[in-house]
Amino acid sequence: MSILVDTPGTTVAQRIAQALPRLSRSHRQVADYVLEHPLQVATLPIDELAAAVGVSVATANRFARALDFDGYATFRAELVRGFEPLVAPVERMRGNLERPSTVSEVFATALDESRRNIEATRQTLDYAACEAAVERIGKARSIYIGGFGASAWLAGLLQHGLDGSCNDVRLLSGVSGVTHAARTLMHAGPQDVFIGLTFPRYLTDTISLAQIARSQGCSVIALTDRPSSPLAPLADVALYCQTETSYRPNCETSVLALIEALTSAVSLRAPDPVQSAGRILQAVRPWLHGANGLPRINGTGNGAAALPHTSDAPAPSGAGSKKKKASR
């Protein structure tokens, strides 16, 4: 049996270590499970713990008393202490499931939460920080974006939004893993920007990459939820987003809204946003449904200009032969 030290839940681990000589065989079985899965146990009611370990509910309760707790509820409360940000979404979900809701009520609640989070983000946003973020991104030689877990999808949308306005935007979350991301950051320097995205439950990958970026002299921009986030102290500029929700760990709608606001501001600050938009349109034109008749766009400073239309459709049968005869 391994004993946890210097981690959330240490008090429980220490009590287990002290009580170990007098624990019964079934109590040791529970202790092993608690030490192996402290975070999971912190979210389990007593009957689910008993079922997971393979003991009775009475045995699980006596185990808690053997550690000098009043009962299982007190034991679990002590185990949760320090894990609150991690277990809070699970506890919220458990509470919601205990209150019967119709599908329409869930839809209405989720949409209302998104609206409230976006409004709370707008109300508390530091616009000086927004200005500083846009300026650093606009001046950057290269932009590195780090986000993992659910934030990886948001990081991809941020890269997509910046790609049309910035010369070199690199998404660090990919199939190659975080070690390759760390190697990529070793090429970064003071002319570059690292943008990290992390929300509860915070992932150490993003924090570690931010630390590497700082050590390389990069500017660090954080998109996170609060000043107590582990990413915030590493950032030169932090943009905070309200993400509270009843049904998921975070409300990602509000984060996406912040990303869209940021990328819109960067785009409008670009040297020639209309020309950039035109180049992107021309690049994706072959894949746009019904775009065969879309005017081609030249690269002049005047923006867009229409060239004579050349249809991609085949000529009607016989048209080519008639043209050849007429030219003889």
Side-chain angles (χ1 to χ4, degrees), residues 39 45 76 78 106 127 133 165 184 199 207 311 316:
L39 178 55
R76 184 167 169 257
E78 182 63 34
V106 173
Y127 287 99
S165 308
T184 301
F199 299 88
I207 311 306
S311 175

Side-chain angles (χ1 to χ4, degrees), residues 206-275:
T206 308
I207 311 306
S208 298
L209 291 180
Q211 291 170 334
I212 293 173
R214 283 192 69 88
S215 70
Q216 294 292 111
C218 279
S219 292
V220 175
I221 297 174
L223 270 61
T224 190
D225 66 316
R226 64 193 68 189
S228 60
S229 161
L231 185 61
L234 300 171
D236 298 290
V237 179
L239 303 181
Y240 299 113
C241 188
Q242 182 79 26
T243 63
E244 292 185 3
T245 181
S246 300
Y247 302 107
R248 298 165 55 85
N250 291 290
C251 173
E252 282 144 14
T253 313
S254 54
V255 184
L256 177 57
L258 182 61
I259 287 171
E260 290 184 347
L262 176 61
T263 56
S264 296
V266 171
S267 174
L268 291 175
R269 283 286 183 88
D272 193 338
V274 176
Q275 188 175 12

